[in-house]
Every structure is written in C-alpha cells, then in structure tokens.
C-alpha cells in the first residue's frame, strides 16, 4: 500500500517546491502534432509528491523537513551490529559507486552549504541483519531484496536482511538526494519500507544478430541497477553468429562468430559480466536456443545440423535445425552444456525451443524413417519434443533448472515441475499465461514488452499499463507468475542505438514488476519518469527523452 501524508502537503506547500527543485527536467511548450493529446493529462514534470523515486517503493512517508548533505563530510558506513563488514565486496563496491553517483559532479568544485550544523546529514549507516548475509554468494530467484530506509534527525539508516536489499536501499537513498537552486545537496526526512512485487525482473539482450561490446553490456547492467531490475537474460548466440568462445569447442566461435578475435566473448569476458552483475544484485541467465536458431552452430560443429533435400531426393547443400536423430548430437550437447553449467553459476539456463522450421526435417529421408520407426507419423512436433526431452535431461543432470519459450509447453513436452515458461507471443498471451499457470508451471511475461518495436510519441505508456496478472485464473495461478522481461532483439539494434532504445522504456517495465499493483497513475509516473530519465543521463546512460526539454546534467553522454 502506498502511503503519503497529504495533510503535511497541504500544511507545508513548500514541500512541492522542494520536490520540484529535485527535478532535472525542464519541459518546453509547443507540442508537435499527434503528441499533445497524449500529454494533456500528464501535467508538468516534477509535481509528484514522491519526487523522482523510481520504481515507486511499496510505502513512502515523507515531510517538508529538510536536511543538508555536505559532500565533503558525508560518508556511507557499515552500521553497528551489521553482519556485513568491510570485507563484504558487494557493499564496499556499492558504497563507492553511490557516493560517486550522488556527489561525483562536485569533485574539485566549491559546493555551497546551507543551514546550521544540526540540520546536516553527514552519514548513512547500512545494517545487514541476517547472519547469512550472502556477501559471497550470487543472487537467485529466492533472494531477499527487502529493506527499510529512515532519514530523520538521528541520521540515515538502511536496514536489510541480505546484501541485496541493502543495494536496493542505496539506490533509493541516492534518488532522495537533490540540489537546490544554488547547488546545495538536500534530502527530506523520509521513511520507506520496500520490497519487490515479483522476484524475476529481467532485460534480454541479443548479442548474436549484432555483437554488443562488453562495455555496452556493463553499461546496461548499471542502468538495470538504477531501475532495480535483477536478471540479465543473455541471448548470447543465434542463427547469425556464435560469439560465445567455448573452451571445449573453440571452433564454434572460430567459425561461427562474425569475427573470431574481435566479436567474441571470452571466458574472461563472461566472468567479468557475471561478477559485475553480482555486485549489482543481478543474475545472469544465458540462453542457448536449439534445435532452431542454430545456423551458426553448424559452422563449427560438423554434422550437428540436419542436411536438407530437394524434391527429387537429392541433397540441397543447405542445412536446417539441429539433427535430432544422431547420437553425436547428444554427446556434443552434453559436453557443451557441462561447460555452460560450470561457466554460468545461476541455477537456470534458458534452452529456447521456439520457432522451429520443420521443412528441412520433412525433406530428409533419414528423419522420415526415424519418425516412422518411433510412431511419430507426420507430427514433427513429436520429433521436436523428443529432441528437447533429451536436452532437458542433459541440463538437469548438471543440477540446473531450465527456462523455455512457450512452444515447449505448447507441444506438451514433459517438463520438470520447476520449469519456467516464458510467454512471448503477443497474440492471446493472456490465455497462454492462464494455460501455463493452470498446468502448475511458473510463468514469465515478455509478450507485450518487446522493446525493439518502436513507435513515435509516448509509447512507454502502453508498456506501463500492462498487468502481468491480468488473465483469467485463480489466486494460486497468479502466484505462479514470477515476473517478466523487457526484450531487446538485435535485428536493428547494435551498440549505436542500444541504450536509447532500451531506456527509459525498460524503466516502465521495471516499475510494473517492482511496485504495488495499485501503482497505475500515468500522470504521476510521467512526472517521476522524466526526472528519473534525467538522473540516468547524469549517470552516463543515453536514455531517450520522453518529450521536449533538457536535463541539468547532460555532459556525461
């Protein structure tokens, strides 16, 4: 439940002026045709009673009382009794980052200071209460990200059970800091109690259709942490290229990558991404999609793909999906997924299973004989199911859970109870969510959040209005929806347009997955998102504008 003391606002109208001063955005007049209608009800950015908080916490109490925050004196420390001390790399790294986010622009500059010493806030204490604070672990779908934040006359305290909640609290605290007209840093006295609505809040990046440099991936992880998103779904390989450099099968990238030296992800690159993500409370789930989407695999692994035949029965010289009828296929997959299971520490691997073109299988006489021998008739979905059952068994043997696209569920494959089914087809996605959860499987929603699709104007609004639980089903079915993902497929996306196409539109997904179900006001969201977008710009994220105007700090892009 969202809480705000409106009586305080009526008694202290200066609060609105102070919150407006926190805004980095200055809208201009003169709307282009077709857009004015979208903005008529939105009002001026900066008027939200919640300032620039994004995503909106579960409960917020604030008032007009102000504390001045002198950067030269301010410190972030481990609070008394915290189980996470200076040895906790997750928090030590976060303390440094967040000090820089809040005050980095003032380094080497004279910073104005106002108010008496009693009105100052000079320290933020971070207290982790659980003995098993998870400082040395990787985040998981069970990670506790809850926290409580108090800013009052006694100082500022973040209290969390685990380090992941402390990270989210640090982000929220940084969003409460703003500058007045002379550049002094301020914060209002505030109490926040917060936790995510869904445990899986992801971003999918496609690094096969266009290779994305590691630095672009790291920048995306930064932006994800600013939005409290916690899963990087790495669609690392696909038909066009195989940039993952396998140590067991080096020819996969040697022959399947666009360029075997510059357009690959080495073991060191992958470990860097995983650790960088861990320090921000983000899981890394790789996707190795088969039996379709595997053209690039066949360049480096002989006999992996199915030979296609012409109508006259002669080989066409082309190849289709992974060949599901040879023992060599499963030996190769076992060896590869053994490596993948070692390299990527998360409990889950995404196995794809979508969009399999059966035409090549249908043309192959050996496939036809196999189908007849196994009683599959001409139903090639049964052949796909046969293949996927072997792959699912292989992955399970390495102690991994798996995620799959919805076709695997639709084809009635036998899935482990902990399988996560991702619903991606926009047509009838609500019915699909109902069917998946009715069968007892956990569901992820991505169908309405394909951010590679763009439109002129305020298209973030339709993204924001999506409700993952909006389907016909029981309360138990609704509880099986564990979250969703903003997907950015790479046909028309590379490093030149990655960030502005993703942000701040993915921020709309982030709030839908973090905040209360009752948080639905487009007007309030717009007021906060304009400011949040400018904050991301100030932190070096090339987030596209929501409308005309400018940000106070645009020099980091």
């Amino acid at each position: 439940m969202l809480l705000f003391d409106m009586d305080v606002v009526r008694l202290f109208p200066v609060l609105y002026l102070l919150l407006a001063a926190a805004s980095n955005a200055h809208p201009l007049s003169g709307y282009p045709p077709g857009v004015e209608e979208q903005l008529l009800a939105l009002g001026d950015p900066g008027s939200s009673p919640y300032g620039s908080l994004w995503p909106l916490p579960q409960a917020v109490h604030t008032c007009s009382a102000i504390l001045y925050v002198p950067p030269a004196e301010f410190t972030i420390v481990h609070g008394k009794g915290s189980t996470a001390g200076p040895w906790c790399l997750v928090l030590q790294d976060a303390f440094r980052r967040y000090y820089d986010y809040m005050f980095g622009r003032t380094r080497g500059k004279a910073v104005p200071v106002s108010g008496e010493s009693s009105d100052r806030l000079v320290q933020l204490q971070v207290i982790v209460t659980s003995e098993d604070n998870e400082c040395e672990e990787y985040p998981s779908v069970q990670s506790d990200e809850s926290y409580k934040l108090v800013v009052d006359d006694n100082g500022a305290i973040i209290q969390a059970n685990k380090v992941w909640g402390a990270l989210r609290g640090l982000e929220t605290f940084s969003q409460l800091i703003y500058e007045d007209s002379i550049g002094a840093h301020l914060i209002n006295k505030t109490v926040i109690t917060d936790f995510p609505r869904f445990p899986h809040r992801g971003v999918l990046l496609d690094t096969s259709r266009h290779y994305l440099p590691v630095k672009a991936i790291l920048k995306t992880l930064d932006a994800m942490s600013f939005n409290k998103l916690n899963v990087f779904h790495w669609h690392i390989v696909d038909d066009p290229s195989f940039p993952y450099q396998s140590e067991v099968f080096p020819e996969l990238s040697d022959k399947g990558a666009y360029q075997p030296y510059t357009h690959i992800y080495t073991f060191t690159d992958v470990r860097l991404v995983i650790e960088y993500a861990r320090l921000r409370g983000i899981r890394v789930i790789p996707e190795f999609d088969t039996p379709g989407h595997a053209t690039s695999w066949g360049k480096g692994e002989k006999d992996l793909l199915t030979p296609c035949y012409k109508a006259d029965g002669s080989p066409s010289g082309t190849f289709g999906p992974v060949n599901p009828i040879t023992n060599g296929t499963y030996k190769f997959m076992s060896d590869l997924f053994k490596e993948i299971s070692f390299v990527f520490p998360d409990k889950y691997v995404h196995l794809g299973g979508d969009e399999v073109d059966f035409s090549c299988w249908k043309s192959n006489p050996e496939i036809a004989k196999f189908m007849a021998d196994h009683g599959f008739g001409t139903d090639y979905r049964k052949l796909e199911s046969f293949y996927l059952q072997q792959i699912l068994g292989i992955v399970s043997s390495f102690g991994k859970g798996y995620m799959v696209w919805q076709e695997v569920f639709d084809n009635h494959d036998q899935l482990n109870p902990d399988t996560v089914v991702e619903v991606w087809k926009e047509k009838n996605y609500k019915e699909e969510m109902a069917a998946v959860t009715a069968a007892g499987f956990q569901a992820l929603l991505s169908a309405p959040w394909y951010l590679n699709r763009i439109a002129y104007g305020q298209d973030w609004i339709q993204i924001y209005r999506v409700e993952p639980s909006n389907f016909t089903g029981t309360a138990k079915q609704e509880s099986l929806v564990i979250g969703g993902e903003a997907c950015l497929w790479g046909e028309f996306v590379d490093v030149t347009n990655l960030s502005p196409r993703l942000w701040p539109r993915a921020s709309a997904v982030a709030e839908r997955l973090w905040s209360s179900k009752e948080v639905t006001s487009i007007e309030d969201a717009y007021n906060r998102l304009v400011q949040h977008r400018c904050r991301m710009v100030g932190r070096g994220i090339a987030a596209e504008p929501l409308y005309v105007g400018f940000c106070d700090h645009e020099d980091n892009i």
Side-chain angles (χ1 to χ4, degrees), residues 34-46:
V35 176
E36 182 172 5
E37 292 79 3
Q38 296 177 295
L39 300 177
L40 282 176
L42 296 183
D44 292 330

Side-chain angles (χ1 to χ4, degrees), residues 126 187 389 412 430 441 454:
V126 178
I187 190 169
Q389 288 301 132
H412 307 294
K430 295 179 182 180
F441 294 109
I454 57 175

Side-chain angles (χ1 to χ4, degrees), residues 29-340:
S29 60
Y31 302 155
V35 176
E36 182 172 5
E37 292 79 3
Q38 296 177 295
L39 300 177
L40 282 176
L42 296 183
D44 292 330
S47 61
S48 170
Y50 305 106
S52 64
L53 290 173
W54 196 279
L56 195 60
Q58 299 291 334
V60 182
H61 298 264
T62 190
C63 70
S64 60
I66 304 167
L67 298 173
Y68 293 88
V69 188
E73 301 173 42
F74 186 81
T75 58
I76 307 174
V77 300
H78 299 280
K80 184 178 180 181
S82 177
T83 63
W87 50 268
C88 181
L89 181 59
V90 171
L91 291 186
Q92 287 299 113
D93 187 67
F95 291 177
R96 174 194 56 78
R97 287 200 318 273
Y98 278 99
Y99 183 91
D100 197 52
Y101 293 149
M102 293 182 287
F103 309 118
R105 288 189 300 268
T106 65
R107 288 182 177 174
K109 300 179 181 178
V111 180
V113 177
S114 304
E116 301 298 327
S117 59
S118 59
D119 297 324
R120 298 187 182 201
L121 178 67
V122 297
Q123 189 176 85
L124 169 63
Q125 296 185 55
V126 178
I127 302 173
V128 179
T129 59
S130 174
E131 288 299 325
D132 181 19
N133 51 51
E134 300 186 3
C135 275
E136 304 300 321
E137 299 178 25
Y138 291 95
S140 72
V141 72
Q142 291 88 22
S143 290
D144 184 348
E145 298 174 277
S146 64
Y147 66 93
K148 183 174 182 180
L149 169 61
V150 178
V151 181
D152 59 20
D153 290 329
N154 296 317
I157 296 176
I158 294 172
Q159 183 170 307
N161 293 324
K162 308 286 187 178
V163 292
W164 318 119
L167 289 177
R168 306 305 174 224
L170 283 164
E171 175 59 37
T172 298
F173 180 84
S174 74
Q175 295 182 6
L176 292 174
I177 299 287
Y178 59 96
E179 297 177 30
D180 65 11
S181 59
I182 64 171
H185 294 82
L186 312 173
I187 190 169
N188 287 78
K189 294 180 181 179
T190 305
V191 176
I192 290 174
T193 302
D194 201 13
F195 52 88
R197 181 181 171 204
F198 293 103
H200 185 119
R201 308 178 307 281
V203 167
L204 177 150
L205 293 186
D206 170 10
T207 59
S208 172
R209 291 173 176 87
H210 283 98
Y211 174 83
L212 297 176
V214 171
K215 65 179 180 181
I217 295 175
L218 301 184
K219 183 73 74 172
T220 300
L221 294 170
D222 283 333
M224 288 175 64
S225 71
F226 303 155
N227 290 273
K228 299 187 174 73
L229 291 162
N230 68 346
V231 177
F232 171 37
H233 177 169
W234 195 350
H235 189 87
I236 193 168
V237 300
D238 206 296
D239 281 327
S241 72
F242 196 105
Y244 171 74
Q245 187 179 60
S246 167
E247 293 190 347
V248 178
F249 300 104
E251 288 197 342
L252 289 173
S253 59
D254 286 348
K255 296 181 178 179
Y258 285 132
Q259 216 290 339
Y261 302 109
T262 60
H263 285 58
I264 61 169
Y265 302 106
T266 66
F267 180 82
T268 300
D269 293 333
V270 171
R271 296 305 299 176
L272 171 61
V273 168
I274 292 171
E275 181 63 9
Y276 198 91
R278 186 185 81 87
L279 293 175
R280 287 151 183 79
I282 298 172
R283 302 162 59 198
V284 178
I285 298 177
E287 181 181 352
F288 289 83
D289 188 0
T290 63
H293 293 280
T295 301
S296 64
W297 299 50
K299 296 177 181 179
E301 180 63 20
K302 185 180 179 182
D303 300 327
L304 179 65
L305 303 184
T306 303
C308 307
Y309 284 74
K310 299 178 183 178
D312 62 7
S314 62
S316 67
T318 60
F319 297 87
V322 168
N323 192 331
I325 68 172
T326 67
N327 292 332
T329 290
Y330 301 108
K331 175 62 168 65
F332 164 81
M333 291 295 179
S334 180
D335 292 342
L336 179 63
F337 277 106
K338 181 179 181 180
E339 176 186 307
I340 291 167

Side-chain angles (χ1 to χ4, degrees), residues 14 44 59 83 129 166 171 179 236 259 271 315 393 410 426 428-429 464 474 493 495 499 509 539:
V14 70
D44 292 330
T83 63
T129 59
E171 175 59 37
E179 297 177 30
I236 193 168
Q259 216 290 339
R271 296 305 299 176
D410 294 339
E426 192 163 15
N428 300 324
Y429 76 81
Y464 188 81
T474 64
V493 177
V495 69
S499 190
V509 180
R539 294 180 181 183

